[in-house]
Amino acid sequence: MQTPPFDLVFAFAPYRLSGTVYGVAVGHGALLDELGQAAHAPPYRAPPKSVVLYVKPSNTFARPGDEIEAMADGTSLIVGAALAVVIGSAACRVTEHDALGHVAGYAVAADFTAPVLQHYRPQVRAKARDRSLALSTPVAAAAVGDAGDLAVRVAIDGHAAHRTTTGGTTRSIARLVSEVSDFITLAPGDLLLAGVAPGAPHAGPGAAVRIDIDAVGSLHVRIASASAPPESLSGLRT
Amino acid sequence: MKRARVAYAGAIHHATPGPSPDRVRLADGRLVGERDVVWLPPFEVGTVIALGLNYADHAKELAFSAQEEPLVFLKTASTLVGHRGTTRRPADVTFMHYECELAVVIGAPGRHIDRADAMAHVAGYTVANDYAIRDYLENWHRPNLRVKNRDGATAIGPWLVDAADIGAPPELALSTSINGTVVQRGNTRDLVFDIPRLVEYLSNFMTLSTGDVILTGTPEGVRDVAVGDEVVCEIEGLGRLVNTIVDDAAFGREAP
C-alpha cells in the first residue's frame, strides 16, 4: 500500500488522503488572456476545451516539518498557492449539480514548480520534484461553505507577495469535479488542486512561505537552503 | 522468476506459473485455472511514469522530430487494469489505439542515479498496454490526461519477471495482435532513451521508489480498435497481456 501522503489525518471522512493528487493547469481565464493570440498559434492552435490536469506523485509530498527542496542552482521556484479539494466519496460521471456532494473538505496547498516556459508538454520535470507539495490539515466542506471566491494571500519572508482569490477559474469546483469524473473515477481521499492563479510569486532558497486561504487555513513552509546536499539514498543501492 | 498478483476465492494472492500455461500456483499451494482468477497488476504499483515518442519509428509515424529530452507523463491508480481486463471505448471516438510497452519496475529506491548504476535499481519487467484516444488530444500538457489517464485504460501484467532473468539491457521483441492478427512489431533495443538514461533523467529531479514503474513507450504500428476486439500485447520472455475492448453499455453509459 502507498503511504498516506503528508501523514495527515483529519476529523472527518475519509479521515486520510489516498495519495493521488491532480492539479489543474491552464485553469484561469486570465492566463489565457495573457497568452492572447499565442493560445491560438502553434504549438497550441486553440485554447484548451477539456480540463488540463497534471499529477503530483508521492515523492512530491512534503510532510509537516519538511523543507521544500530548492533548485540545485539556486533558481527560485514558482509558489503555487492553490485550493485543494478533498474528495469524500467515489465520484464517477457525477453531474455538476451533485458534484459538491462528493467533496469532503478543503485544504491549503503550496505547489512549488520549477520555472517553465511552455504549456504544450507535461511539465513533469518542473512539477514532480521531491518535496514540492505542502498541504494544510483539511477542513470540512460544511465549515467552509462556498469555496469559489475565497481570498488567497501569499507572503514570502513576512512580506505580502500575492493577493488573489479562489475564483477566476475557467470551471467552478462543481464543474471541475464533474468534468474530471467523466474519465477518472475519483476515490475518497483523492485531491484536486483547483489551479494556481496567474501572477504567482517566486521564492528562492531559504525563503519562508506563508499561504492563507480565508475559511480554509494557513500553511507555513520553508524552502531549503541551496547549499543543502541533495537527498541521497545511495546507501540503498545494491 | 515470474510473479503475479491475483484475486481468487475472496482474497488476493501472490501467484507463480503452474505446471501448464492454463494453471497458476497460488502461494498457499493451490493450483487454479488461469481463467478462474482475477489478474491484478502484478505488484503494488507506486508512481506510473510513461514515455511518449520513445521509438524513432513511432515518432516518425506521428510526424514528430527527435527530442532533446524524454517526453514524460504521469498516470494514477484509476487507470490501471490487470491481465484479461476490459477497457472501454467511448461510442463517440474515431481513433483509440493500443500501445504495447516494456514496463520497467523499480526495486531499490534512489535519487541522482548515474546511468552506469541504473540497472541495479531495476527489480524486473512486465508488459503494459497504454491505450490512447486521439480524438481527445489537445495541445496543452499533451498528451493530456483525458487521452492517457482514463479509467481502466492502462493494462499491465500478467507477470513481474525478475530483471536477473532478462539480459541487460533488455533486447526483447514485442508485438501486438488484434483478434489473432499481428498489427504492431518492435524491439526494445530501439528505445530512443534507453532504461539507464531514463532512470538517470528521472532520478535527477525525483526519488524513484520501490514499485514505481516506467512505461518505456511504443513502436510504430498503432491502429484503431473496435468494441469486442481482443488485444494481446506480447513481449519475448515476459508474457502475453490480454485485454478486451468493451462498449459504453458495459459501464452503464447510454449512447451519447
Side-chain angles (χ1 to χ4, degrees):
Chain A
M1 293 293 288
Q2 283 196 6
T3 310
F6 313 106
D7 298 332
L8 278 178
V9 291
F10 38 97
F12 54 92
Y15 304 104
R16 65 175 193 173
L17 302 172
S18 68
T20 298
V21 181
Y22 304 93
V24 176
V26 207
H28 283 75
L31 173 66
L32 289 166
D33 292 344
E34 266 177 33
L35 286 168
Q37 276 306 308
H40 297 266
Y44 309 117
R45 298 181 186 280
K49 292 193 290 283
S50 302
V51 60
V52 183
L53 298 174
Y54 58 94
V55 174
K56 294 291 287 191
S58 59
N59 66 296
T60 66
F61 305 155
R63 287 167 169 78
D66 278 355
E67 293 185 330
I68 301 301
E69 185 173 301
M71 302 281 286
D73 64 1
T75 306
S76 291
L77 295 165
I78 301 167
V79 182
L83 179 72
V85 178
V86 183
I87 299 298
S89 53
C92 177
R93 295 183 80 202
V94 297
T95 63
E96 197 172 327
H97 179 265
D98 293 338
L100 292 182
H102 295 268
V103 173
Y106 301 98
V108 180
D111 182 7
F112 290 85
T113 300
V116 287
L117 299 171
Q118 58 85 28
H119 309 280
Y120 176 58
R121 290 300 188 191
Q123 301 166 348
V124 176
R125 184 163 56 86
K127 290 189 178 298
R129 300 169 50 77
D130 278 0
R131 296 183 302 287
S132 58
L133 177 64
L135 195 76
S136 69
T137 301
V139 173
V144 174
D146 181 0
D149 192 28
L150 303 172
V152 179
R153 291 177 300 279
V154 182
I156 296 171
D157 294 330
H159 302 288
H162 196 211
R163 192 179 173 98
T164 179
T165 76
T166 57
T169 54
T170 311
R171 293 166 182 78
S172 67
I173 296 164
R175 188 169 153 218
L176 172 66
V177 170
S178 171
E179 195 173 318
V180 172
S181 80
D182 184 60
F183 60 96
I184 295 170
T185 297
L186 295 167
D190 284 1
L191 285 182
L192 282 170
L193 310 183
V196 173
H202 293 226
V209 174
R210 173 180 173 145
I211 301 173
D212 289 278
I213 300 181
D214 277 1
V216 177
S218 183
L219 176 62
H220 305 249
V221 65
R222 185 176 287 278
I223 300 176
S225 61
S227 58
E231 179 184 8
S232 173
L233 293 167
S234 57
L236 288 167
R237 290 187 194 174
T238 53
Chain B
M1 184 168 181
K2 291 183 169 184
R3 288 167 286 186
R5 284 167 69 242
V6 300
Y8 180 74
I12 292 173
H13 303 267
H14 295 276
T16 51
S20 57
D22 60 337
R23 286 190 294 174
V24 298
R25 187 182 304 278
L26 306 187
D28 63 13
R30 281 180 283 187
L31 269 178
V32 296
E34 75 108 351
R35 298 283 193 149
D36 298 326
V37 301
V38 174
W39 292 80
L40 304 172
F43 57 97
E44 296 273 1
V45 181
T47 297
V48 182
I49 302 153
L51 272 292
L53 309 176
N54 202 33
Y55 283 81
D57 54 4
H58 179 61
K60 189 177 170 190
E61 174 180 50
L62 299 178
F64 283 96
S65 52
Q67 330 135 60
E68 298 156 12
E69 184 177 352
L71 168 53
V72 174
F73 52 99
L74 301 176
K75 291 167 162 280
T76 62
S78 81
T79 194
L80 296 174
V81 64
H83 173 54
R84 294 204 184 284
T86 58
T87 299
R88 181 174 67 91
R89 179 193 163 98
D92 62 341
V93 305
T94 62
F95 192 9
M96 169 171 169
H97 63 74
Y98 50 82
E99 295 189 358
C100 181
E101 310 198 4
L102 174 68
V104 178
V105 182
I106 299 297
R111 178 81 196 273
H112 298 299
I113 300 167
D114 189 273
R115 68 181 74 177
D117 302 326
M119 298 310 287
H121 292 263
V122 175
Y125 306 97
T126 186
V127 185
N129 181 355
D130 183 11
Y131 283 104
I133 298 183
R134 305 201 73 81
D135 301 58
Y136 299 147
L137 270 175
E138 295 188 65
N139 295 321
W140 302 85
H141 289 239
R142 175 180 172 140
N144 38 317
L145 271 69
R146 192 169 174 229
V147 175
K148 275 291 181 184
N149 198 64
R150 308 179 60 75
D151 277 355
T154 307
I156 189 163
W159 306 105
L160 171 60
V161 181
D162 287 348
D165 298 345
I166 303 293
E171 296 186 355
L172 307 173
L174 62 80
S175 66
T176 302
S177 60
I178 299 178
N179 305 325
T181 302
V182 175
V183 288
Q184 182 182 39
R185 283 186 196 280
N187 191 295
T188 61
R189 77 168 79 92
D190 296 327
L191 295 176
V192 174
F193 294 96
D194 64 13
I195 297 165
R197 289 181 73 192
L198 291 171
V199 168
E200 179 179 277
Y201 170 79
L202 294 164
S203 71
N204 186 47
F205 58 85
M206 66 188 289
T207 297
L208 295 176
S209 295
T210 308
D212 289 356
V213 58
I214 304 169
L215 311 185
T216 54
T218 202
E220 70 176 343
V222 298
R223 288 195 202 171
D224 189 29
V225 293
V227 170
D229 281 350
E230 183 183 76
V231 181
V232 179
C233 294
E234 182 164 10
I235 301 183
E236 183 185 1
L238 302 184
R240 300 170 76 247
L241 172 65
V242 178
N243 178 269
T244 302
I245 304 297
V246 298
D247 63 8
D248 286 337
F251 283 79
R253 296 180 182 231
E254 56 285 351

PDB file of all heavy atoms in Angstrom, chain B residues 169-197:
ATOM      1  N   PRO B 169      21.268  -4.612 -21.379  1.00  0.00           N
ATOM      2  CA  PRO B 169      19.897  -4.084 -21.417  1.00  0.00           C
ATOM      3  C   PRO B 169      18.974  -5.066 -22.125  1.00  0.00           C
ATOM      4  O   PRO B 169      19.432  -5.841 -22.967  1.00  0.00           O
ATOM      5  CB  PRO B 169      20.053  -2.795 -22.228  1.00  0.00           C
ATOM      6  CG  PRO B 169      21.207  -3.064 -23.137  1.00  0.00           C
ATOM      7  CD  PRO B 169      22.142  -3.937 -22.357  1.00  0.00           C
ATOM      8  N   PRO B 170      17.670  -5.041 -21.795  1.00  0.00           N
ATOM      9  CA  PRO B 170      16.771  -5.997 -22.427  1.00  0.00           C
ATOM     10  C   PRO B 170      16.594  -5.694 -23.915  1.00  0.00           C
ATOM     11  O   PRO B 170      16.289  -4.568 -24.278  1.00  0.00           O
ATOM     12  CB  PRO B 170      15.453  -5.825 -21.671  1.00  0.00           C
ATOM     13  CG  PRO B 170      15.582  -4.611 -20.867  1.00  0.00           C
ATOM     14  CD  PRO B 170      17.013  -4.194 -20.806  1.00  0.00           C
ATOM     15  N   GLU B 171      16.840  -6.699 -24.718  1.00  0.00           N
ATOM     16  CA  GLU B 171      16.601  -6.578 -26.162  1.00  0.00           C
ATOM     17  C   GLU B 171      15.548  -7.606 -26.506  1.00  0.00           C
ATOM     18  O   GLU B 171      15.864  -8.754 -26.799  1.00  0.00           O
ATOM     19  CB  GLU B 171      17.900  -6.801 -26.939  1.00  0.00           C
ATOM     20  CG  GLU B 171      18.935  -5.718 -26.626  1.00  0.00           C
ATOM     21  CD  GLU B 171      20.182  -5.819 -27.499  1.00  0.00           C
ATOM     22  OE1 GLU B 171      20.268  -6.791 -28.287  1.00  0.00           O
ATOM     23  OE2 GLU B 171      21.041  -4.935 -27.383  1.00  0.00           O
ATOM     24  N   LEU B 172      14.301  -7.186 -26.400  1.00  0.00           N
ATOM     25  CA  LEU B 172      13.187  -8.115 -26.458  1.00  0.00           C
ATOM     26  C   LEU B 172      12.242  -7.723 -27.584  1.00  0.00           C
ATOM     27  O   LEU B 172      11.873  -6.554 -27.721  1.00  0.00           O
ATOM     28  CB  LEU B 172      12.415  -8.093 -25.131  1.00  0.00           C
ATOM     29  CG  LEU B 172      13.250  -8.311 -23.854  1.00  0.00           C
ATOM     30  CD1 LEU B 172      12.382  -8.085 -22.612  1.00  0.00           C
ATOM     31  CD2 LEU B 172      13.861  -9.698 -23.840  1.00  0.00           C
ATOM     32  N   ALA B 173      11.835  -8.731 -28.351  1.00  0.00           N
ATOM     33  CA  ALA B 173      10.831  -8.485 -29.387  1.00  0.00           C
ATOM     34  C   ALA B 173       9.492  -8.235 -28.717  1.00  0.00           C
ATOM     35  O   ALA B 173       9.142  -8.911 -27.745  1.00  0.00           O
ATOM     36  CB  ALA B 173      10.744  -9.692 -30.313  1.00  0.00           C
ATOM     37  N   LEU B 174       8.770  -7.245 -29.215  1.00  0.00           N
ATOM     38  CA  LEU B 174       7.413  -7.021 -28.699  1.00  0.00           C
ATOM     39  C   LEU B 174       6.444  -6.945 -29.872  1.00  0.00           C
ATOM     40  O   LEU B 174       6.811  -6.572 -30.993  1.00  0.00           O
ATOM     41  CB  LEU B 174       7.353  -5.789 -27.801  1.00  0.00           C
ATOM     42  CG  LEU B 174       7.686  -4.396 -28.329  1.00  0.00           C
ATOM     43  CD1 LEU B 174       6.519  -3.799 -29.080  1.00  0.00           C
ATOM     44  CD2 LEU B 174       8.044  -3.483 -27.156  1.00  0.00           C
ATOM     45  N   SER B 175       5.223  -7.318 -29.611  1.00  0.00           N
ATOM     46  CA  SER B 175       4.219  -7.290 -30.672  1.00  0.00           C
ATOM     47  C   SER B 175       2.837  -7.123 -30.071  1.00  0.00           C
ATOM     48  O   SER B 175       2.606  -7.435 -28.910  1.00  0.00           O
ATOM     49  CB  SER B 175       4.262  -8.577 -31.505  1.00  0.00           C
ATOM     50  OG  SER B 175       3.873  -9.680 -30.712  1.00  0.00           O
ATOM     51  N   THR B 176       1.940  -6.620 -30.897  1.00  0.00           N
ATOM     52  CA  THR B 176       0.523  -6.542 -30.528  1.00  0.00           C
ATOM     53  C   THR B 176      -0.267  -7.252 -31.609  1.00  0.00           C
ATOM     54  O   THR B 176       0.036  -7.119 -32.797  1.00  0.00           O
ATOM     55  CB  THR B 176       0.056  -5.072 -30.436  1.00  0.00           C
ATOM     56  OG1 THR B 176       0.863  -4.404 -29.486  1.00  0.00           O
ATOM     57  CG2 THR B 176      -1.401  -4.990 -30.020  1.00  0.00           C
ATOM     58  N   SER B 177      -1.258  -8.005 -31.182  1.00  0.00           N
ATOM     59  CA  SER B 177      -2.176  -8.584 -32.153  1.00  0.00           C
ATOM     60  C   SER B 177      -3.607  -8.238 -31.756  1.00  0.00           C
ATOM     61  O   SER B 177      -3.914  -8.055 -30.581  1.00  0.00           O
ATOM     62  CB  SER B 177      -2.000 -10.099 -32.246  1.00  0.00           C
ATOM     63  OG  SER B 177      -2.255 -10.698 -31.005  1.00  0.00           O
ATOM     64  N   ILE B 178      -4.435  -8.093 -32.792  1.00  0.00           N
ATOM     65  CA  ILE B 178      -5.868  -7.877 -32.581  1.00  0.00           C
ATOM     66  C   ILE B 178      -6.591  -9.089 -33.158  1.00  0.00           C
ATOM     67  O   ILE B 178      -6.447  -9.386 -34.353  1.00  0.00           O
ATOM     68  CB  ILE B 178      -6.363  -6.593 -33.272  1.00  0.00           C
ATOM     69  CG1 ILE B 178      -5.629  -5.361 -32.706  1.00  0.00           C
ATOM     70  CG2 ILE B 178      -7.864  -6.435 -33.089  1.00  0.00           C
ATOM     71  CD1 ILE B 178      -6.037  -4.047 -33.365  1.00  0.00           C
ATOM     72  N   ASN B 179      -7.314  -9.773 -32.310  1.00  0.00           N
ATOM     73  CA  ASN B 179      -8.061 -10.972 -32.723  1.00  0.00           C
ATOM     74  C   ASN B 179      -7.164 -11.928 -33.510  1.00  0.00           C
ATOM     75  O   ASN B 179      -7.575 -12.510 -34.509  1.00  0.00           O
ATOM     76  CB  ASN B 179      -9.302 -10.579 -33.550  1.00  0.00           C
ATOM     77  CG  ASN B 179     -10.187  -9.602 -32.796  1.00  0.00           C
ATOM     78  OD1 ASN B 179     -10.309  -9.681 -31.576  1.00  0.00           O
ATOM     79  ND2 ASN B 179     -10.775  -8.663 -33.510  1.00  0.00           N
ATOM     80  N   GLY B 180      -5.921 -12.041 -33.068  1.00  0.00           N
ATOM     81  CA  GLY B 180      -5.002 -13.014 -33.651  1.00  0.00           C
ATOM     82  C   GLY B 180      -4.149 -12.502 -34.796  1.00  0.00           C
ATOM     83  O   GLY B 180      -3.238 -13.203 -35.238  1.00  0.00           O
ATOM     84  N   THR B 181      -4.423 -11.304 -35.301  1.00  0.00           N
ATOM     85  CA  THR B 181      -3.625 -10.737 -36.399  1.00  0.00           C
ATOM     86  C   THR B 181      -2.602  -9.757 -35.839  1.00  0.00           C
ATOM     87  O   THR B 181      -2.967  -8.815 -35.134  1.00  0.00           O
ATOM     88  CB  THR B 181      -4.541  -9.988 -37.389  1.00  0.00           C
ATOM     89  OG1 THR B 181      -5.518 -10.904 -37.880  1.00  0.00           O
ATOM     90  CG2 THR B 181      -3.730  -9.411 -38.554  1.00  0.00           C
ATOM     91  N   VAL B 182      -1.329  -9.987 -36.157  1.00  0.00           N
ATOM     92  CA  VAL B 182      -0.283  -9.104 -35.636  1.00  0.00           C
ATOM     93  C   VAL B 182      -0.380  -7.740 -36.314  1.00  0.00           C
ATOM     94  O   VAL B 182      -0.441  -7.639 -37.538  1.00  0.00           O
ATOM     95  CB  VAL B 182       1.111  -9.725 -35.860  1.00  0.00           C
ATOM     96  CG1 VAL B 182       2.204  -8.747 -35.421  1.00  0.00           C
ATOM     97  CG2 VAL B 182       1.228 -11.032 -35.077  1.00  0.00           C
ATOM     98  N   VAL B 183      -0.420  -6.682 -35.510  1.00  0.00           N
ATOM     99  CA  VAL B 183      -0.572  -5.331 -36.043  1.00  0.00           C
ATOM    100  C   VAL B 183       0.589  -4.412 -35.657  1.00  0.00           C
ATOM    101  O   VAL B 183       0.744  -3.323 -36.214  1.00  0.00           O
ATOM    102  CB  VAL B 183      -1.901  -4.699 -35.567  1.00  0.00           C
ATOM    103  CG1 VAL B 183      -3.082  -5.346 -36.262  1.00  0.00           C
ATOM    104  CG2 VAL B 183      -2.045  -4.781 -34.054  1.00  0.00           C
ATOM    105  N   GLN B 184       1.388  -4.819 -34.702  1.00  0.00           N
ATOM    106  CA  GLN B 184       2.494  -3.968 -34.246  1.00  0.00           C
ATOM    107  C   GLN B 184       3.671  -4.868 -33.896  1.00  0.00           C
ATOM    108  O   GLN B 184       3.502  -5.883 -33.215  1.00  0.00           O
ATOM    109  CB  GLN B 184       2.069  -3.167 -33.002  1.00  0.00           C
ATOM    110  CG  GLN B 184       3.136  -2.217 -32.466  1.00  0.00           C
ATOM    111  CD  GLN B 184       2.687  -1.466 -31.204  1.00  0.00           C
ATOM    112  OE1 GLN B 184       2.035  -2.036 -30.344  1.00  0.00           O
ATOM    113  NE2 GLN B 184       3.059  -0.200 -31.107  1.00  0.00           N
ATOM    114  N   ARG B 185       4.840  -4.472 -34.383  1.00  0.00           N
ATOM    115  CA  ARG B 185       6.055  -5.211 -34.032  1.00  0.00           C
ATOM    116  C   ARG B 185       7.160  -4.236 -33.718  1.00  0.00           C
ATOM    117  O   ARG B 185       7.260  -3.173 -34.328  1.00  0.00           O
ATOM    118  CB  ARG B 185       6.542  -6.052 -35.224  1.00  0.00           C
ATOM    119  CG  ARG B 185       5.792  -7.320 -35.497  1.00  0.00           C
ATOM    120  CD  ARG B 185       6.514  -8.077 -36.621  1.00  0.00           C
ATOM    121  NE  ARG B 185       5.669  -9.110 -37.198  1.00  0.00           N
ATOM    122  CZ  ARG B 185       5.483 -10.313 -36.644  1.00  0.00           C
ATOM    123  NH1 ARG B 185       6.081 -10.611 -35.498  1.00  0.00           N
ATOM    124  NH2 ARG B 185       4.705 -11.199 -37.226  1.00  0.00           N
ATOM    125  N   GLY B 186       8.010  -4.609 -32.789  1.00  0.00           N
ATOM    126  CA  GLY B 186       9.164  -3.780 -32.473  1.00  0.00           C
ATOM    127  C   GLY B 186      10.127  -4.559 -31.613  1.00  0.00           C
ATOM    128  O   GLY B 186       9.937  -5.762 -31.370  1.00  0.00           O
ATOM    129  N   ASN B 187      11.184  -3.862 -31.190  1.00  0.00           N
ATOM    130  CA  ASN B 187      12.151  -4.489 -30.297  1.00  0.00           C
ATOM    131  C   ASN B 187      12.639  -3.438 -29.319  1.00  0.00           C
ATOM    132  O   ASN B 187      12.927  -2.300 -29.710  1.00  0.00           O
ATOM    133  CB  ASN B 187      13.326  -5.063 -31.090  1.00  0.00           C
ATOM    134  CG  ASN B 187      14.202  -5.950 -30.221  1.00  0.00           C
ATOM    135  OD1 ASN B 187      14.835  -5.478 -29.269  1.00  0.00           O
ATOM    136  ND2 ASN B 187      14.233  -7.236 -30.526  1.00  0.00           N
ATOM    137  N   THR B 188      12.723  -3.822 -28.067  1.00  0.00           N
ATOM    138  CA  THR B 188      13.071  -2.843 -27.032  1.00  0.00           C
ATOM    139  C   THR B 188      14.507  -2.326 -27.191  1.00  0.00           C
ATOM    140  O   THR B 188      14.876  -1.369 -26.512  1.00  0.00           O
ATOM    141  CB  THR B 188      12.893  -3.433 -25.624  1.00  0.00           C
ATOM    142  OG1 THR B 188      13.767  -4.558 -25.469  1.00  0.00           O
ATOM    143  CG2 THR B 188      11.458  -3.889 -25.406  1.00  0.00           C
ATOM    144  N   ARG B 189      15.281  -2.911 -28.079  1.00  0.00           N
ATOM    145  CA  ARG B 189      16.630  -2.364 -28.305  1.00  0.00           C
ATOM    146  C   ARG B 189      16.565  -1.002 -29.011  1.00  0.00           C
ATOM    147  O   ARG B 189      17.534  -0.268 -29.032  1.00  0.00           O
ATOM    148  CB  ARG B 189      17.479  -3.337 -29.141  1.00  0.00           C
ATOM    149  CG  ARG B 189      17.156  -3.337 -30.620  1.00  0.00           C
ATOM    150  CD  ARG B 189      18.201  -4.082 -31.439  1.00  0.00           C
ATOM    151  NE  ARG B 189      18.013  -5.504 -31.356  1.00  0.00           N
ATOM    152  CZ  ARG B 189      17.272  -6.228 -32.222  1.00  0.00           C
ATOM    153  NH1 ARG B 189      16.638  -5.634 -33.228  1.00  0.00           N
ATOM    154  NH2 ARG B 189      17.172  -7.530 -32.098  1.00  0.00           N
ATOM    155  N   ASP B 190      15.379  -0.672 -29.574  1.00  0.00           N
ATOM    156  CA  ASP B 190      15.250   0.551 -30.363  1.00  0.00           C
ATOM    157  C   ASP B 190      14.732   1.751 -29.574  1.00  0.00           C
ATOM    158  O   ASP B 190      14.326   2.759 -30.165  1.00  0.00           O
ATOM    159  CB  ASP B 190      14.324   0.286 -31.563  1.00  0.00           C
ATOM    160  CG  ASP B 190      14.920  -0.734 -32.511  1.00  0.00           C
ATOM    161  OD1 ASP B 190      16.162  -0.768 -32.640  1.00  0.00           O
ATOM    162  OD2 ASP B 190      14.150  -1.514 -33.102  1.00  0.00           O
ATOM    163  N   LEU B 191      14.729   1.660 -28.254  1.00  0.00           N
ATOM    164  CA  LEU B 191      14.316   2.811 -27.444  1.00  0.00           C
ATOM    165  C   LEU B 191      15.198   4.016 -27.760  1.00  0.00           C
ATOM    166  O   LEU B 191      16.418   3.890 -27.853  1.00  0.00           O
ATOM    167  CB  LEU B 191      14.438   2.498 -25.951  1.00  0.00           C
ATOM    168  CG  LEU B 191      13.523   1.415 -25.376  1.00  0.00           C
ATOM    169  CD1 LEU B 191      13.859   1.182 -23.902  1.00  0.00           C
ATOM    170  CD2 LEU B 191      12.063   1.796 -25.535  1.00  0.00           C
ATOM    171  N   VAL B 192      14.584   5.190 -27.912  1.00  0.00           N
ATOM    172  CA  VAL B 192      15.362   6.417 -28.122  1.00  0.00           C
ATOM    173  C   VAL B 192      16.150   6.735 -26.850  1.00  0.00           C
ATOM    174  O   VAL B 192      17.366   6.920 -26.876  1.00  0.00           O
ATOM    175  CB  VAL B 192      14.431   7.592 -28.494  1.00  0.00           C
ATOM    176  CG1 VAL B 192      15.227   8.897 -28.566  1.00  0.00           C
ATOM    177  CG2 VAL B 192      13.709   7.311 -29.818  1.00  0.00           C
ATOM    178  N   PHE B 193      15.439   6.803 -25.724  1.00  0.00           N
ATOM    179  CA  PHE B 193      16.087   6.953 -24.423  1.00  0.00           C
ATOM    180  C   PHE B 193      16.017   5.580 -23.755  1.00  0.00           C
ATOM    181  O   PHE B 193      14.926   5.104 -23.429  1.00  0.00           O
ATOM    182  CB  PHE B 193      15.386   8.017 -23.580  1.00  0.00           C
ATOM    183  CG  PHE B 193      15.512   9.404 -24.147  1.00  0.00           C
ATOM    184  CD1 PHE B 193      14.505   9.932 -24.947  1.00  0.00           C
ATOM    185  CD2 PHE B 193      16.643  10.179 -23.909  1.00  0.00           C
ATOM    186  CE1 PHE B 193      14.619  11.208 -25.482  1.00  0.00           C
ATOM    187  CE2 PHE B 193      16.766  11.457 -24.447  1.00  0.00           C
ATOM    188  CZ  PHE B 193      15.754  11.970 -25.236  1.00  0.00           C
ATOM    189  N   ASP B 194      17.179   4.939 -23.574  1.00  0.00           N
ATOM    190  CA  ASP B 194      17.166   3.585 -23.025  1.00  0.00           C
ATOM    191  C   ASP B 194      16.955   3.625 -21.508  1.00  0.00           C
ATOM    192  O   ASP B 194      16.872   4.696 -20.896  1.00  0.00           O
ATOM    193  CB  ASP B 194      18.424   2.813 -23.429  1.00  0.00           C
ATOM    194  CG  ASP B 194      19.697   3.418 -22.856  1.00  0.00           C
ATOM    195  OD1 ASP B 194      19.615   4.282 -21.962  1.00  0.00           O
ATOM    196  OD2 ASP B 194      20.789   3.016 -23.323  1.00  0.00           O
ATOM    197  N   ILE B 195      16.855   2.458 -20.897  1.00  0.00           N
ATOM    198  CA  ILE B 195      16.487   2.389 -19.476  1.00  0.00           C
ATOM    199  C   ILE B 195      17.489   3.145 -18.595  1.00  0.00           C
ATOM    200  O   ILE B 195      17.072   3.946 -17.742  1.00  0.00           O
ATOM    201  CB  ILE B 195      16.322   0.920 -19.036  1.00  0.00           C
ATOM    202  CG1 ILE B 195      15.169   0.277 -19.814  1.00  0.00           C
ATOM    203  CG2 ILE B 195      16.073   0.816 -17.531  1.00  0.00           C
ATOM    204  CD1 ILE B 195      15.135  -1.242 -19.734  1.00  0.00           C
ATOM    205  N   PRO B 196      18.800   2.937 -18.760  1.00  0.00           N
ATOM    206  CA  PRO B 196      19.724   3.696 -17.896  1.00  0.00           C
ATOM    207  C   PRO B 196      19.567   5.216 -18.040  1.00  0.00           C
ATOM    208  O   PRO B 196      19.615   5.949 -17.044  1.00  0.00           O
ATOM    209  CB  PRO B 196      21.105   3.224 -18.375  1.00  0.00           C
ATOM    210  CG  PRO B 196      20.857   1.857 -18.908  1.00  0.00           C
ATOM    211  CD  PRO B 196      19.507   1.930 -19.565  1.00  0.00           C
ATOM    212  N   ARG B 197      19.342   5.677 -19.263  1.00  0.00           N
ATOM    213  CA  ARG B 197      19.192   7.134 -19.445  1.00  0.00           C
ATOM    214  C   ARG B 197      17.891   7.632 -18.823  1.00  0.00           C
ATOM    215  O   ARG B 197      17.843   8.735 -18.274  1.00  0.00           O
ATOM    216  CB  ARG B 197      19.234   7.492 -20.936  1.00  0.00           C
ATOM    217  CG  ARG B 197      20.629   7.318 -21.537  1.00  0.00           C
ATOM    218  CD  ARG B 197      20.642   7.695 -23.005  1.00  0.00           C
ATOM    219  NE  ARG B 197      20.555   9.137 -23.215  1.00  0.00           N
ATOM    220  CZ  ARG B 197      20.324   9.702 -24.399  1.00  0.00           C
ATOM    221  NH1 ARG B 197      20.131   8.942 -25.467  1.00  0.00           N
ATOM    222  NH2 ARG B 197      20.284  11.017 -24.515  1.00  0.00           N
TER     223      ARG B 197
END
